[in-house]
Amino acid sequence: NTDPSWNSSGINIMDPAVSSGVTSDNYFGYSIFANTDILLIGSPKYSGTLDASGRAYLYDFNQSTPVLVQEFDASVGGIVGAKYFGSSVSASTNNSDYNIVVIGSGGGRNLTSGLAPGLDTVPGNVFIYKANTLNLGASSNPFTLVQVLYGSTGSNFGCSVSISNFILTIGAESASSYFGEVYIYNTNNYGNTWNLIQTITGGNSNDYLGTSV
């Protein structure tokens, strides 16, 4: 079923995508973020096709058993053509009265062999969600979309993401003719708006700076 279940060794096995009837080629678990509060899992080929839209799943660990509290997909933001949503995930749950989830949609990045044919003209996106509560398991779907960040065409913007408190870092491994770039954002209004404060570019072509951040 879609709820977590524990086996005899105490390992939690989670795969809600399989029970939802999608194909086995959904890449559930391609990206993972975990801390003492939550587990966030990306499934960037949710549709099982090259033109994948993707999903991400958020579990709350602050309940008696882990609870699936929200599923994310790009359609909530109205983004037409977002590819591989869930190829990168991160979250910040150490704030005083709110939580932030960040999900990357790496554009035309083929998950197994670099750029996918015909998709290298698709810009990547990063979706930022906020929940104005610390008790995520108290209600379903506590997160709402607050901002979508856009990359340049063919940059694979969002192939990697990382957030810590008020700092958000995003990788774009194919930007600037494959030099790669890393973008650093901050917020000064409790996560409602994020502003670019620095861009770091790779030193040479094919450096692919930003593959991970």
Side-chain angles (χ1 to χ4, degrees):
N1 57 47
T2 58
D3 293 326
S5 58
W6 295 88
N7 64 20
S8 58
S9 64
I11 299 174
N12 195 289
I13 301 173
M14 303 174 180
D15 193 351
V18 171
S19 65
S20 299
V22 300
T23 70
S24 59
D25 190 25
N26 56 65
Y27 281 41
F28 180 83
Y30 180 84
S31 59
I32 293 176
F33 172 88
N35 61 21
T36 56
D37 299 312
I38 66 164
L39 172 64
L40 185 60
I41 302 174
S43 179
K45 288 186 67 177
Y46 174 80
S47 64
T49 65
L50 182 64
D51 190 19
S53 54
R55 286 193 181 183
Y57 303 84
L58 177 70
Y59 294 86
D60 177 24
F61 282 161
N62 289 316
Q63 310 303 313
S64 56
T65 59
V67 176
L68 176 63
V69 296
Q70 190 158 349
E71 297 183 17
F72 302 87
D73 64 68
S75 65
V76 174
I79 306 300
V80 177
K83 310 299 180 187
Y84 300 125
F85 178 91
S87 57
S88 58
V89 296
S90 188
S92 176
T93 60
N94 299 318
N95 308 297
S96 60
D97 57 0
Y98 66 93
N99 292 292
I100 299 290
V101 161
V102 180
I103 302 174
S105 175
R109 187 175 192 270
N110 187 299
L111 302 182
T112 57
S113 58
L115 286 177
L119 293 184
D120 55 343
T121 60
V122 178
N125 308 105
V126 170
F127 298 75
I128 304 171
Y129 303 84
K130 180 180 178 182
N132 290 308
T133 178
L134 295 181
N135 188 7
L136 297 177
S139 61
S140 61
N141 301 322
F143 284 88
T144 57
L145 183 68
V146 294
Q147 190 171 356
V148 180
L149 303 175
Y150 297 84
S152 59
T153 298
S155 66
N156 294 336
F157 180 85
C159 65
S160 60
V161 295
S162 178
I163 184 172
S164 178
N165 295 325
F166 303 124
I167 299 295
L168 168 62
T169 307
I170 300 172
E173 62 184 3
S174 298
S176 298
S177 300
Y178 305 104
F179 279 63
E181 291 185 340
V182 170
Y183 308 93
I184 302 173
Y185 294 78
N186 73 350
T187 180
N188 56 15
N189 59 359
Y190 305 102
N192 293 306
T193 306
W194 296 81
N195 304 296
L196 181 66
I197 58 173
Q198 187 174 359
T199 300
I200 304 171
T201 303
N204 299 284
S205 181
N206 297 321
D207 273 358
Y208 294 101
L209 183 75
T211 298
S212 61
V213 293

